[in-house]
Amino acid sequence: MDTRYFTPAEVAEHDSHNDLWVSFLGSVYDLTPLAEKYRGNVLLRPILNVAGQDISHWFNPKTQGIRTHISPKTGCKEPYTPQGRFIDVPPPGPDSDWDNSFPMPWWKDPQYRVGTLSGRTRKIRVVNMLTSQEQVLEVASEESLEEIQQRYVKYNAHAGSYTWKFMGKELNMALTLQQNHVPDEWEEFHRLNMDPEEFLPAISVYFNDDLTEDCYSTFAI
């Protein structure tokens, strides 16, 4: 199972017919191939309407299937789809056009799963000590520093050539921020009516061939 973590903001970026992601029950799905397969089908409309969103409320957490209810018209149990019936959901009654020959419904098909939705995100500042450039990253709290480093590659192609430190202490890249004792005080700053964005923990990254730190140490003696 793919354990890559995505933030809700990252899922929200994929909100079109040609690039359609959703999340539900803690997982992230790329439904772009499904949208292309059923292009023009009226049953695709409810899915298009929630592109980039979390749709956990569509599903029963215990069964991992579509929520059901007792129809007030028929007195029978049927899928509960107030947003409208969608792909792979059977019709409420007999229908000669209903094709149920597919091996499994899309919400159970592992081919669409691309990763895990973060249960909690946080922001950090990454400060390049060689160039003095800063970058604010929103990351998954479950991610290791190695995984966060991969996010930083977007801004620094040589991210792997840097040593990461917090308050002068080298970080263990195999551990999470919390396991490295990098505090997440977002909620505390909110409670104090202070802007958390102004107090983000700063991770300093040092280019491995940079002698700046050693020079400073020499002059300090």
Side-chain angles (χ1 to χ4, degrees):
M1 180 176 291
D2 193 335
T3 57
R4 180 180 175 186
Y5 288 97
F6 293 94
T7 68
E10 288 177 306
V11 177
E13 293 174 357
H14 305 270
D15 60 353
S16 69
H17 193 298
N18 297 319
D19 182 18
L20 198 166
W21 288 23
V22 296
S23 62
F24 59 88
L25 303 181
S27 292
V28 178
Y29 297 81
D30 180 358
L31 300 185
T32 308
L34 185 78
E36 184 58 34
K37 178 180 179 180
Y38 290 96
R39 183 180 289 272
N41 191 317
V42 67
L43 296 182
L44 182 63
R45 177 55 55 186
I47 298 175
L48 291 177
N49 289 340
V50 294
Q53 300 177 36
D54 186 82
I55 56 172
S56 295
H57 58 286
W58 287 15
F59 301 90
N60 184 321
K62 294 183 178 180
T63 66
Q64 306 290 300
I66 301 299
R67 289 185 181 274
T68 59
H69 73 143
I70 302 301
S71 170
K73 293 183 178 180
T74 65
C76 298
K77 184 169 73 172
E78 61 183 40
Y80 181 62
T81 57
Q83 69 282 349
R85 180 170 160 244
F86 51 88
I87 301 295
D88 292 346
V89 173
D95 189 336
S96 59
D97 293 329
W98 169 241
D99 180 11
N100 63 352
S101 60
F102 51 86
M104 68 181 71
W106 60 262
W107 55 88
K108 292 186 176 181
D109 194 334
Q111 71 169 308
Y112 297 119
R113 188 180 186 279
V114 293
T116 301
L117 184 69
S118 174
R120 180 183 177 87
T121 64
R122 58 180 299 186
K123 291 183 178 181
I124 58 173
R125 283 191 301 127
V126 179
V127 184
N128 187 326
M129 303 305 289
L130 180 63
T131 64
S132 298
Q133 293 179 325
E134 295 188 11
Q135 186 63 50
V136 174
L137 301 181
E138 181 179 26
V139 303
S141 61
E142 303 92 341
E143 289 178 315
S144 68
L145 267 294
E146 290 175 343
E147 292 169 312
I148 293 174
Q149 186 181 60
Q150 289 304 306
R151 292 180 178 276
Y152 185 55
V153 167
K154 175 181 178 181
Y155 308 99
N156 186 335
H158 303 288
S161 298
Y162 286 75
T163 295
W164 290 46
K165 296 184 179 184
F166 177 67
M167 297 186 69
K169 182 179 179 181
E170 185 171 344
L171 299 175
N172 186 330
M173 302 300 285
L175 302 181
T176 66
L177 289 166
Q178 182 178 9
Q179 290 169 337
N180 273 292
H181 307 292
V182 179
D184 181 5
E185 300 175 308
W186 187 274
E187 292 181 354
E188 180 64 15
F189 284 122
H190 262 300
R191 188 182 67 82
L192 297 173
N193 293 319
M194 300 171 68
D195 184 2
E197 295 278 355
E198 296 183 3
F199 300 95
L200 296 177
I203 306 298
S204 302
V205 295
Y206 296 84
F207 189 58
N208 290 335
D209 290 335
D210 182 22
L211 301 179
T212 302
E213 190 177 27
D214 290 336
C215 290
Y216 285 147
S217 299
T218 300
F219 285 117
I221 295 175

